[in-house]
């Protein structure tokens, strides 16, 4: 409690590194993670992590130093600082990151054929979708890596910017009641500026699914109309984003309607008037390659 009160006071005063240090050393992990991801600059966070003493993992309880290193690694990935991120990633995701970065580079390499580039963009998209939480997921809101994405975390950044938090209660009949209450220690203008500068893009739960969809669209731009590969790529992208951003999903569906009407997947989508959960040639191959990769990287989990 004392760590929380002092950390909150330091935060309100604009002593951001000191506030983080108090929360982190007090093992108030979720609050510390919020400050690390949304308020500290990348330079401040990296300096703090690099200055941590080299100590063996604790015999009991959480290894907070290791958790913080991994949080930094994922933040650097979100900021496209891949060369720096690798050393902070937890195995095997340091190796997965290497494969992700190679796919991004191959996709952008104009010396390769359009098909090769499209395949690389789709590989990057597949990794972003299915390993996105481990590569770039936020520890707290919006992705909730701290809870394996099982539950949605309160958006502390929104609370700090608005000056209010929402209290949920229930009456005797079990009806939910929500009430906005003012936060005790208001955010300074400097803090609000940092919250804006460190905004998660896109700021939605499981944000990496939208990143995966955008990468798949880079592949789609290189593929010929009415090919099964194009229909497969766009359909998969639609399946990934439809529950996160319906507007983006609608845009992808229009591409199916306009460019894939003669394909099997396109016809299945048209019959459903939305994306059909139907594999195609590239998604089938990517699924097989993905499983093989994790079997190689994590042989102890190969039977799962």
């Amino acid at each position: 409690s004392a760590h929380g009160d002092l950390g909150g006071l330091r935060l309100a005063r604009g002593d951001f590194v000191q506030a983080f240090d108090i929360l982190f050393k007090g093992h108030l992990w979720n609050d510390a993670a919020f400050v690390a991801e949304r308020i500290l600059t990348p330079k401040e966070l990296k300096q703090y992590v690099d200055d941590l003493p080299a100590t063996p993992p604790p015999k009991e309880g959480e290894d907070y130093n290791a958790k913080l290193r991994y949080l930094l690694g994922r933040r650097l990935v979100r900021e496209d600082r891949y060369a720096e991120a690798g050393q902070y990633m937890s195995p095997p995701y340091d190796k997965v990151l290497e494969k992700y970065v190679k796919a991004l580079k191959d996709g952008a390499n104009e010396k390769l054929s359009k098909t090769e580039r499209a395949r690389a963009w789709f590989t990057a998209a597949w990794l972003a979708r299915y390993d996105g939480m481990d590569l770039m997921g936020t520890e707290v809101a919006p992705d909730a890596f701290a809870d394996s994405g099982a539950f949605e975390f309160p958006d502390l950044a929104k609370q700090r910017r608005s000056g209010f938090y929402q209290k949920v209660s229930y009456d005797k009949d079990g009806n939910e009641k929500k009430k906005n209450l003012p936060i005790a220690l208001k955010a300074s203008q400097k803090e609000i500026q940092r919250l804006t500068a460190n905004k998660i893009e896109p700021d939605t739960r499981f944000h990496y699914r939208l990143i995966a969809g955008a990468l798949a669209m880079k592949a789609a731009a290189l593929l010929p109309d009415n090919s099964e590969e194009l229909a497969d790529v766009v359909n998969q992208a639609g399946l990934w984003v439809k529950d996160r951003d319906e507007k983006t999903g609608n845009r992808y569906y229009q591409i199916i309607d306009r460019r894939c009407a003669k394909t099997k997947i396109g016809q299945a989508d048209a019959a459903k008037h939305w994306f059909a959960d139907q594999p195609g040639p590239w998604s089938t191959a990517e699924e097989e390659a993905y499983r093989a990769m994790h079997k190689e990287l994590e042989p102890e989990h190969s039977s799962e």
Side-chain angles (χ1 to χ4, degrees):
S1 177
H3 278 89
D5 291 342
L6 184 55
L9 181 62
R10 287 286 195 177
L11 188 62
R13 288 180 174 179
D15 300 328
F16 302 128
V17 176
Q18 295 91 332
F20 169 75
D21 183 62
I22 291 166
L23 296 170
F24 179 67
K25 289 179 177 176
H27 294 173
L28 297 172
W29 174 247
N30 290 345
D31 292 326
F34 162 71
V35 176
E37 291 186 321
R38 298 301 305 273
I39 297 178
L40 296 188
T41 66
K43 182 178 180 180
E44 289 169 342
L45 178 58
K46 188 173 182 295
Q47 185 66 58
Y48 189 96
V49 171
D50 290 345
D51 287 343
L52 288 172
T55 56
K59 295 181 180 179
E60 296 181 358
E62 298 266 24
D63 186 345
Y64 287 98
N65 287 11
K67 288 174 62 145
L68 185 62
R69 288 183 62 83
Y70 192 16
L71 178 152
L72 170 60
R74 298 195 311 275
R75 180 173 176 180
L76 292 173
V77 170
R78 291 196 299 275
E79 296 176 2
D80 301 334
R81 296 168 62 171
Y82 306 120
E84 300 170 78
Q87 63 179 308
Y88 302 103
M89 301 295 285
S90 290
Y93 294 100
D94 52 342
K95 300 300 183 183
V96 176
L97 177 61
E98 291 176 4
K99 295 180 182 295
Y100 178 66
V101 172
K102 182 181 185 305
L104 292 176
K105 289 181 178 178
D106 288 347
N109 186 356
E110 295 184 356
K111 294 181 179 180
L112 299 177
S113 69
K114 286 186 176 182
T115 300
E116 289 174 316
R117 292 177 61 199
R119 194 62 184 265
W121 283 127
F122 193 52
T123 295
W126 198 271
L127 292 172
R129 168 59 185 88
Y130 293 106
D131 278 335
M133 179 68 89
D134 301 283
L135 288 174
M136 63 190 84
T138 59
E139 187 74 15
V140 285
D143 299 324
F145 179 92
D147 201 25
S148 302
F151 298 98
E152 192 167 1
F153 269 44
D155 190 341
L156 295 182
K158 182 179 180 181
Q159 293 178 12
R160 298 291 294 168
R161 294 178 70 176
S162 68
F164 292 89
Y165 72 96
Q166 191 173 77
K167 182 179 180 180
V168 179
S169 59
Y170 298 87
D171 61 24
K172 62 181 180 179
D173 298 320
N175 298 314
E176 184 180 81
K177 297 169 64 178
K178 295 180 179 180
K179 185 177 182 180
N180 288 330
L181 298 174
I183 59 177
L185 295 172
K186 302 291 186 181
S188 65
Q189 188 59 40
K190 186 177 179 181
E191 180 184 339
I192 291 174
Q193 289 173 351
R194 288 190 174 213
L195 289 170
T196 301
N198 297 327
K199 184 178 180 181
I200 307 302
E201 294 287 356
D203 193 2
T204 187
R205 192 178 183 197
F206 308 136
H207 85 284
Y208 48 84
R209 297 185 187 181
L210 290 172
I211 291 175
L215 290 170
M217 288 302 102
K218 289 179 177 288
L222 297 169
L223 293 171
D225 290 355
N226 288 308
S227 62
E228 292 297 335
E229 291 79 7
L230 172 64
D232 186 16
V233 165
V234 181
N235 186 66
Q236 287 297 320
L239 291 170
W240 296 339
V241 308
K242 63 183 180 64
D243 295 328
R244 307 264 60 87
D245 186 334
E246 188 175 354
K247 183 177 180 180
T248 299
N250 283 329
R251 181 160 55 86
Y252 292 177
Y253 181 77
Q254 290 170 7
I255 294 173
I256 288 278
D257 186 52
R258 187 175 69 252
R259 297 185 59 197
C260 308
K262 297 179 181 179
T263 65
K264 293 178 180 178
I265 291 176
Q267 291 167 0
D269 285 3
K272 189 178 179 180
H273 301 291
W274 201 227
F275 302 101
D277 190 2
Q278 181 172 325
W282 278 15
S283 60
T284 299
E286 288 295 339
E287 173 68 20
E288 292 175 355
Y290 178 81
R291 290 181 181 276
M293 176 190 71
H294 275 280
K295 184 176 181 179
E296 177 186 349
L297 295 176
E298 302 178 278
E300 68 275 17
H301 297 150
S302 62
S303 61
E304 294 182 359

